[in-house]
Amino acid sequence: MRRHLMATALGAGLVTVTGMPAEAASATRFGVIASTQGPPSDDADTFRRLYAEQRELYGGGPIGIRLFAGGRLPLPGERNMVGTLLTWAAERHPEETITISHKTRDDGRLRALLDWAGEHRVRLSVIYFHEVQDDWGRRRDPRAAPDVYLGTYRAYRRIVDAHPARTRTSLEKNLMWYWQHYHAGKRGADWSEFVERDDPADVVSWDTYVFPGMPPDQGRYATPDEFFRYPHAVWRTTGRPWAVGEIGTTVRGDAARFVGWVRTITAAAADPGRISPDYAGMPPARFMKWWAGPDAAGNEQGLQQVPAAVDVYRRLVAAG
């Protein structure tokens, strides 16, 4: 595969990363997260509108559907936002993988969701406790306690493996870069409390945000090593595949610098070995999903802040 070198200015230093041409096929599936977090109305109609806008922006093909629930696994047809969207996704976008996060274990509802996925030929990725470290380290939510969390994934693994829809279902663990980087050493909730050597999850994903997240006076975007050193540690310890569940940042500095960082971070996800010799042998990220909207505080995180960055990422979405 033809490659070229791209050098991206990241603050005070110059980081050189081997990049792959945008038209090349990629083992990493690049996607986009349509979100009603922040200023948009948090309802099913708004989600569908934002999803349609993002899908069109990135070429009209699949971009992924990610749904969040604060309690038990929602089921299609239920009179809530996620139940409505599950029904819509199966009817209108059966080609998409639906990622669904929840925070209350319910083995029976998981079986019911798998029954539905098998009947409708839907692909699922199931997350118990999105960004679990914050819920345990700061909130001490008993549902997120490490022993409860680990036990839930072991039970879910047995349920999925015994179900006819097992080939259409992935168990995903989701961890939080910010917590790991700034809080784990002093406040607990290190990733090792939530991942086992023989882990039942199919993939361990990480949510990675630059600004807000990194100190504002840092004045540069995250390097690939800063963002991916923890996935690297999990992979070396467990052999589990890795992914980027969310990524985003407000734009700092000029547009060209932002576009350069997008090229750098996506190229590193697709081929971690180019980061440094320490990453040799690490497989590509299974997926990377860009947050396409504001965060809860209203800070825009999407690539659409700089149209040239959308152009770069659109080609990666198509290549995946």
Side-chain angles (χ1 to χ4, degrees):
M1 179 173 63
R2 182 179 63 85
R3 295 181 177 176
H4 64 277
L5 289 178
M6 58 187 175
T8 303
L10 294 175
L14 191 70
V15 177
T16 303
V17 180
T18 305
M20 72 183 169
E23 68 274 10
S26 172
T28 301
R29 182 173 293 277
F30 292 91
V32 182
I33 299 176
S35 170
T36 54
Q37 181 173 277
S41 298
D42 189 24
D43 57 56
D45 286 342
T46 303
F47 183 95
R48 286 187 288 243
R49 175 179 61 79
L50 294 174
Y51 168 84
E53 291 174 0
Q54 293 299 327
R55 183 156 171 162
E56 181 179 3
L57 183 63
Y58 288 96
I63 58 173
I65 293 173
R66 189 164 185 178
L67 305 174
F68 299 86
R72 298 184 302 170
L73 272 168
L75 294 176
E78 290 184 330
R79 296 189 145 209
N80 55 49
M81 177 177 170
V82 180
T84 299
L85 291 174
L86 284 170
T87 302
W88 159 79
E91 291 177 351
R92 299 293 299 275
H93 299 289
E95 74 285 358
E96 289 281 28
T97 296
I98 303 170
T99 301
I100 183 165
S101 303
H102 67 295
K103 294 187 174 185
T104 299
R105 175 179 168 178
D106 191 316
D107 296 5
R109 290 177 80 85
L110 176 59
R111 291 187 183 95
L113 186 65
L114 295 176
D115 289 344
W116 171 80
E119 179 183 353
H120 293 272
R121 302 186 60 78
V122 169
R123 292 189 303 276
L124 295 174
S125 187
V126 177
I127 297 173
Y128 178 68
F129 260 93
H130 164 80
E131 296 183 353
V132 65
Q133 292 150 292
D134 180 67
D135 283 288
W136 178 241
R138 180 163 64 93
R139 298 187 177 96
R140 281 298 188 264
D141 188 323
R143 300 171 300 171
D147 60 334
V148 175
Y149 182 88
L150 296 175
T152 298
Y153 270 93
R154 292 189 209 112
Y156 279 12
R157 178 80 274 159
R158 291 190 293 270
I159 292 168
V160 171
D161 285 349
H163 198 280
R166 60 186 175 275
T167 59
R168 311 189 70 81
T169 306
S170 177
L171 282 180
E172 179 181 342
K173 286 188 172 180
N174 177 253
L175 302 174
M176 185 181 184
W177 177 87
Y178 180 88
W179 187 273
Q180 189 66 37
H181 197 67
Y182 292 106
H183 296 320
K186 295 180 180 179
R187 301 176 67 178
D190 183 81
W191 68 261
S192 61
E193 297 181 54
F194 301 98
V195 182
E196 301 178 278
R197 285 189 176 273
D198 188 17
D199 202 88
D202 294 297
V203 62
V204 179
S205 67
W206 289 80
D207 291 356
T208 53
Y209 289 90
V210 186
F211 300 116
M214 290 182 155
D217 59 0
Q218 182 171 271
R220 61 172 177 79
Y221 296 109
T223 67
D225 177 63
E226 283 174 313
F227 267 180
F228 300 154
R229 65 181 59 167
Y230 306 125
H232 179 246
V234 173
W235 170 74
R236 290 192 65 177
T237 302
T238 70
R240 288 294 78 204
W242 71 287
V244 182
E246 296 177 13
I247 187 169
T249 184
T250 58
V251 172
R252 297 295 177 94
D254 61 36
R257 192 170 139 218
F258 176 67
V259 173
W261 178 73
V262 171
R263 290 185 181 277
T264 297
I265 206 72
T266 54
D271 185 0
R274 69 189 66 200
I275 297 173
S276 78
D278 289 342
Y279 286 78
M282 186 176 179
R286 284 278 184 90
F287 51 79
M288 172 180 276
K289 301 177 183 179
W290 213 284
W291 189 270
D295 60 20
N299 302 293
E300 180 61 51
Q301 300 291 309
L303 292 163
Q304 59 268 31
Q305 297 170 89
V306 178
V310 172
D311 293 339
V312 169
Y313 201 74
R314 184 186 296 116
R315 292 191 288 270
L316 294 173
V317 171

